[in-house]
Amino acid sequence: MENAPFSLKKRIYSFRYAISGIKQLIITEHNARIHLSAAIIAIGCGIWLGISPVEWMIIIMCIGLVFGTECFNSAIEAISDFVSPEYHNTIKRIKDLAAAGVLCVALASATTGCIIFIPKIIVYFTS
Ligand SMILES: Nc1ncnc2c1ncn2[C@@H]1O[C@H](COP(=O)(O)OP(=O)(O)OP(=O)(O)O)[C@@H](O)[C@H]1O
């Protein structure tokens, strides 16, 4: 509510709800587990290959964007299933567009990871 006074307790609760959303995402969404595995591999490679602070920022942004879009996609899927459990062409369009959003960010992130890591891996194994 716009006119409600600021409450630190409520802000802390809203943070808890968001953390609970992330837990639900990891537990219930299979794609999120794939994203989590990819994030762990990227962080491991970053430590192993000693990437620069700017490269860390790019990797962290990619990880955040992938999880963020997956959260929105899952929310859209949940709303869609709630309002229309039966097959509907509009629901198909909505779900396909939401999934396409995740795919775009995931492909861009995977490409970014390849650009950062592949040259370093080649140098590591050839020097
Ligand atoms: N109620 C529906 N009406 C029309 N099409 C649907 C409906 N439910 C699912 N679909 C179609 O099936 C696809 C997969 O939907 P579903 O809800 O199973 O997502 P999912 O497989 O869990 O997606 P994700 O890959 O994000 O986990 C949708 O992209 C859509 O094309």
Side-chain angles (χ1 to χ4, degrees):
M1 272 182 285
E2 256 178 49
N3 293 330
F6 179 84
S7 157
L8 187 61
K9 201 174 158 190
K10 276 190 180 171
R11 291 312 94 217
I12 291 168
Y13 272 116
S14 68
F15 187 73
R16 278 193 195 165
Y17 298 141
I19 298 288
S20 149
I22 293 171
K23 280 187 199 159
Q24 282 176 50
L25 185 82
I26 305 292
I27 292 166
T28 60
E29 297 294 325
H30 293 177
N31 281 348
R33 288 187 220 163
I34 295 169
H35 297 322
L36 182 65
S37 307
I40 291 167
I41 290 168
I43 291 167
C45 285
I47 294 167
W48 169 45
L49 297 163
I51 62 174
S52 71
V54 172
E55 288 168 332
W56 271 120
M57 285 191 276
I58 293 167
I59 293 294
I60 290 163
M61 282 300 293
C62 286
I63 292 171
L65 280 171
V66 169
F67 277 97
T69 47
E70 189 63 55
C71 284
F72 286 122
N73 177 43
S74 300
I76 289 166
E77 277 179 7
I79 294 171
S80 302
D81 291 340
F82 183 71
V83 297
S84 174
E86 67 285 353
Y87 187 92
H88 196 290
N89 277 337
T90 305
I91 295 292
K92 175 170 172 48
R93 186 162 179 267
I94 290 165
K95 283 192 172 185
D96 289 355
L97 283 169
V102 180
L103 182 66
C104 290
V105 176
L107 286 178
S109 299
T111 309
T112 303
C114 289
I115 292 168
I116 291 175
F117 293 124
I118 288 176
K120 293 184 194 331
I121 291 170
I122 291 170
V123 169
Y124 183 86
F125 284 110
T126 54
S127 60

